[in-house]
Amino acid sequence: MDNRKDSSSARRTDIEDALADYVRSKAVADPEGNGSGNYVSNAESVVRRWADWLDREEGVESLAAVEPIHLRRYARHLKTKVRQDEYAASTARTYYAYVRAFLTWCSRDHLLESNPAEDEIALEELPDDPGTRETQQFWSPDDRRQLESYVRQRALEAIESGDETQKRKRLRQHALVALLAHTGVRGAEVFSHPKDDRRNGATWADVDWENGSLRVLGKSQEYEYAPLPEVAQKPLRRWKDELEPPTTEFPLFPTEHAPSKYGAVRSQVTDIDLETADIDAVVRENEVVLPAISTEGARSVMKRLCDEADLEVDGEYLKPHGARRGLGDELYRSNPTDAQAALRHSSISVTNESYSHIEAGEIGDVIDNTRERGEDER
């Protein structure tokens, strides 16, 4: 009896069986066929092709083996199709959305612990589609100024209060927001990512104060230099003075998660009674390198800050990647080449595609002005 239950459970984690259940569940949700028929048919076809690709290219046949890295490679596969003019960018993103919806259903049905298609390392490989820009959050200048003003004021208040715990917390938040707002970095370039061993977070060794740059592991998996303007340097310097990193290999934003801190100390220091020791003093004295805050942890920080500041965009908090888009938007309106350099795009054509809505809007203004002059001359 028990063996039969285990065998049934194993079958249900198979992608083909899960897809069949997914299709049936959608049909039950719309028994009259009013609207979901085409979607289900298209989704089934796309997910089936994805499963074939997964088996052929990655050697993965079951849901239990699907990880974010496989979705990252699938997104890259779709992007290649776009570059080869086989798919439109919107089509590639739609195909990915079908797979993501299927995996969301699987996670809700407890066939997966979480949805690997939602992971940042997978999503960052999707081709840009200017047509979907309205669904992509970006920090407007007003959003950015309001958030910066809030974290700056809270940091000053904490300094004046003499509360060391609050001072440390607020200076860290101010530096984090300033870094996101003014450098164009991606979250996975400066924070750690649990699914990517190379992404352990930017360290103080990566900061070049003199030249105003920050070395990061870019989207291309190659090291790049992001700009570090003075407006970002000042909060970062204050945070460094407060943090007193024991070594240059220390992360810019170390975790504040107590079990992670104790785990790092235990793995790097011996013969210390941690029950009575000051953990932060032990870290400094023994030059323990703590793990960096994770991308998810940084998003949690941003969500709390936006809740406290009563700040939202379309009902959501200001997300880390929205800062990059906001910076690009502002720079592109002034000089597209500057936007390309700041965002580290491989070519100006990538930047133009990402911000084509701005150019189109400006041409629209030219058309209006030209025709107004023509009407006046008649």
Side-chain angles (χ1 to χ4, degrees), residues 144-158:
R144 172 178 56 76
R145 283 191 287 266
Q146 183 177 340
L147 181 60
E148 282 196 285
S149 175
Y150 176 79
V151 294
R152 185 187 305 111
Q153 184 61 36
R154 293 293 292 272
L156 291 174
E157 291 172 357

Side-chain angles (χ1 to χ4, degrees), residues 200-211:
N200 298 315
T203 70
W204 293 101
D206 295 319
V207 178
D208 185 339
W209 301 106
E210 183 177 352
N211 293 309

Side-chain angles (χ1 to χ4, degrees), residues 34-211:
N34 297 320
S36 70
N38 287 338
Y39 175 87
V40 172
S41 177
N42 292 336
E44 181 179 14
S45 176
V46 170
V47 174
R48 198 173 298 282
R49 291 202 301 273
W50 167 73
D52 290 341
W53 174 89
L54 199 62
D55 183 11
R56 182 178 66 255
E57 301 295 333
E58 302 294 324
V60 174
E61 298 179 353
S62 68
L63 283 172
V66 179
E67 297 183 358
I69 188 62
H70 301 130
L71 275 299
R72 177 183 175 85
R73 291 169 184 159
Y74 176 62
R76 190 181 298 148
H77 162 72
L78 294 175
K79 185 158 59 176
T80 298
K81 293 287 189 181
V82 172
R83 288 173 176 168
Q84 294 172 344
D85 291 330
E86 294 183 41
Y87 295 162
S90 58
T91 300
R93 295 182 74 93
T94 296
Y95 285 178
Y96 189 90
Y98 280 135
V99 173
R100 179 166 52 188
F102 165 65
L103 294 175
T104 294
W105 179 88
C106 289
S107 65
R108 290 175 178 171
D109 220 40
H110 299 290
L111 301 179
L112 286 170
E113 291 185 4
S114 60
N115 185 351
E118 295 284 3
D119 198 283
E120 185 175 348
I121 68 167
L123 295 173
E124 70 179 12
E125 280 293 324
L126 282 174
D128 292 329
D129 179 15
T132 63
R133 178 172 174 81
E134 64 275 9
T135 66
Q136 298 178 340
Q137 186 197 94
F138 75 102
W139 297 12
S140 71
D142 286 343
D143 296 331
R144 172 178 56 76
R145 283 191 287 266
Q146 183 177 340
L147 181 60
E148 282 196 285
S149 175
Y150 176 79
V151 294
R152 185 187 305 111
Q153 184 61 36
R154 293 293 292 272
L156 291 174
E157 291 172 357
I159 291 171
E160 293 174 358
S161 72
D163 186 326
E164 289 301 319
T165 300
Q166 283 297 308
K167 178 184 174 184
R168 180 185 177 94
K169 177 180 178 181
R170 298 305 179 183
L171 287 176
R172 178 176 184 256
Q173 291 173 346
H174 187 197
L176 188 150
V177 168
L179 193 73
L180 291 174
H182 299 293
T183 65
V185 294
R186 301 175 179 89
E189 293 175 337
V190 290
F191 310 124
S192 68
H193 197 292
K195 300 296 184 180
D196 190 332
D197 292 339
R198 296 188 70 197
R199 297 194 180 279
N200 298 315
T203 70
W204 293 101
D206 295 319
V207 178
D208 185 339
W209 301 106
E210 183 177 352
N211 293 309

